[in-house]
Amino acid sequence: FQASGPGAGWVPVAKAAEIPLGTAKRFLAGDVDGHLLHLDGNFAALSAICTHQPCVLNWTPSESVFGCPCHGAEFVPSGEQSPGDDYGLRLPPLARFPVQQANGWLYVRV
């Protein structure tokens, strides 16, 4: 795959049209397992791996949270742990990655 994008260091991960408003799509870019998130007309890229245990987070659009299937921790779209999370342990935020859109594609710098 070779898309005409923003330049060196940017990895094409999805067509923008594949991610409707309010949804998240998992991507792999090099060693990064992440989620592209489309909220408020903007795209964001976050790590898909919980910061407590190496479990892949699941997006729940009705609640706008990423949940950990291993222990129930929740993260909001900013990457921070959900303030309403009753997990009992404060966790570091999810890693965020820059996103650019070019020629209908979304690119992430990892």
Side-chain angles (χ1 to χ4, degrees):
F1 167 77
Q2 194 67 6
S4 177
W10 291 91
V11 180
V13 291
K15 290 184 179 181
E18 294 175 347
I19 309 171
L21 191 63
T23 64
K25 179 178 175 144
R26 193 164 162 205
F27 70 87
L28 296 173
D31 293 338
V32 172
D33 192 343
H35 282 111
L36 279 170
L37 186 60
H38 188 187
L39 293 178
D40 303 324
N42 296 308
F43 291 96
L46 299 168
S47 172
I49 306 301
C50 182
T51 57
H52 181 231
Q53 294 178 356
C55 301
V56 176
L57 300 170
N58 298 314
W59 174 246
T60 304
S62 61
E63 298 176 23
S64 293
V65 296
F66 289 100
C68 182
C70 295
H71 55 79
E74 294 181 339
F75 297 86
V76 295
S78 69
E80 299 292 324
Q81 188 175 9
S82 173
D85 186 341
D86 60 1
Y87 181 57
L89 180 66
R90 294 315 299 161
L91 301 174
L94 302 173
R96 292 181 62 91
F97 306 100
V99 178
Q100 281 195 26
Q101 188 171 349
N103 302 314
W105 282 87
L106 295 170
Y107 296 80
V108 175
R109 184 185 288 276
V110 295

